Amino acid sequence: YECFRIITELANTNFVKKLQLADNTVFRFAARQEIAKRLTALEKTEPEKIEKLDVLAKDYIRLLKKTNLQNWVFEQSPFKTESIILEGLLLFLTFPFFVYGFICNFLPFFVPVYIRKFVMKAQYEGFFSSLQFGIGIFLFPFFYLMQTILFYNLTGTHWWLSLLFFIMQYPFGKWAVKWNGIAKKFMAKIRFIRLKHKKSFELIQVQNIREQIIRMIS
C-alpha cells in the first residue's frame, strides 16, 4: 500500500503530461488511478518488479526526509532566480501581517490541539481533524470575543475600532496560515537550490530514483 501511495504521488504530474490531460484536480486524480492500475497489473504479472519498486519507493522517502524536501519541489524545478527574489521580498513585506494574524489566532489554533492531545487523549489519527474542528467551533468565537474585550480595556479605543479588531481576527488568521505555507515552500526551494549548487550526493540520488521509478511504470 505504501509503495503504491508513494509512486502514485511521485509520478502524478508526469502521467498528467503523458496522457495529455489538463492539470487540474479531476485529471490529476484520473492520472493517479491510471498509475494505480498499472501497479496492480505489474503486481500480478511481474511481482519481482513491484518488489524492486517497493525498495526504490522506500529509498525515495528516506532521502526526501534526509534532504528535508518534498515531492513537489522536483516537479516544479528549476526555479528562476528572479522569481525566488520576488517571492522572498513579498514574504518579507507581508511578514507584519503574518505576525498579527498569528498572535490573534495562537490560542484558538493551538488550544484545540492541546485539548485533543492532553485532555481527551484521542489515539485514532483519523479522528484528530474532526475532533479539533468540533472544539474549534466553540473556542474560536470565545477567544475572539475575550481578546476583543481585552483589546478594548487595554487601549481604551473607540468601540468601532474594537469591533474592527474583532472582525479582522479571522481573515488575518487565514492569512497567517496561507503565509506560513508559502514561507515553507519558499524555504524548500532555497534548500533545493543550495543542494543543487553544492552538487549534493543525496539530491542526485533522489532525482535518479524518481527517474528510475517513472521509467519502470511508463
Side-chain angles (χ1 to χ4, degrees):
Y1 174 82
E2 191 65 9
C3 170
F4 279 32
R5 184 191 67 78
I6 293 166
I7 293 174
T8 52
E9 181 182 342
L10 179 157
N12 196 201
T13 299
N14 180 268
F15 265 71
V16 167
K17 293 177 181 177
K18 184 176 180 178
L19 297 172
Q20 297 182 335
L21 301 173
D23 191 1
N24 58 44
T25 304
V26 173
F27 288 122
R28 288 184 74 85
F29 180 70
R32 289 169 74 98
Q33 287 181 313
E34 178 62 28
I35 297 166
K37 286 178 184 177
R38 295 195 182 197
L39 290 171
T40 303
L42 282 174
E43 190 176 24
K44 294 176 180 177
T45 59
E46 301 179 66
E48 69 286 347
K49 199 171 187 178
I50 286 293
E51 289 178 9
K52 186 175 180 180
L53 282 168
D54 185 46
V55 172
L56 288 171
K58 288 174 181 175
D59 284 341
Y60 181 72
I61 291 298
R62 177 181 59 81
L63 288 165
L64 281 185
K65 290 178 180 178
K66 193 170 182 178
T67 55
N68 196 19
L69 294 173
Q70 292 181 5
N71 186 61
W72 64 266
V73 175
F74 299 93
E75 295 178 348
Q76 295 182 15
S77 66
F79 303 107
K80 294 182 179 179
T81 304
E82 301 83 3
S83 299
I84 293 294
I85 293 172
L86 180 60
E87 192 173 342
L89 180 62
L90 289 173
L91 284 168
F92 175 76
L93 293 174
T94 54
F95 181 69
F97 300 103
F98 163 76
V99 173
Y100 173 77
F102 178 77
I103 291 172
C104 288
N105 288 270
F106 179 83
L107 289 174
F109 274 162
F110 294 108
V111 168
V113 178
Y114 178 86
I115 292 173
R116 186 263 300 169
K117 289 178 69 174
F118 300 107
V119 178
M120 304 185 78
K121 298 180 180 178
Q123 301 296 321
Y124 174 54
E125 290 187 12
F127 188 53
F128 288 177
S129 296
S130 300
L131 185 59
Q132 288 169 197
F133 178 77
I135 297 169
I137 287 176
F138 298 99
L139 290 187
F140 268 82
F142 171 77
F143 279 116
Y144 285 166
L145 180 61
M146 292 299 102
Q147 288 170 179
T148 302
I149 293 171
L150 183 63
F151 173 79
Y152 177 78
N153 288 330
L154 290 176
T155 61
T157 188
H158 295 290
W159 66 267
W160 60 270
L161 282 175
S162 296
L163 179 62
L164 182 63
F165 175 83
F166 177 79
I167 294 170
M168 295 305 293
Q169 289 177 95
Y170 174 71
F172 271 91
K174 290 189 71 175
W175 166 261
V177 171
K178 188 173 183 180
W179 189 96
N180 184 58
I182 295 171
K184 284 182 176 179
K185 284 195 169 186
F186 174 75
M187 294 308 298
K189 292 175 186 178
I190 296 296
R191 282 194 300 275
F192 178 83
I193 292 170
R194 284 179 179 173
L195 290 169
K196 191 172 182 180
H197 180 72
K198 290 165 58 178
K199 296 181 179 179
S200 164
F201 177 68
E202 287 82 7
L203 182 64
I204 294 170
Q205 277 187 304
V206 175
Q207 291 173 319
N208 288 339
I209 290 172
R210 280 180 58 85
E211 292 170 6
Q212 189 175 353
I213 290 173
I214 290 170
R215 282 198 305 269
M216 288 176 70
I217 63 172
S218 296

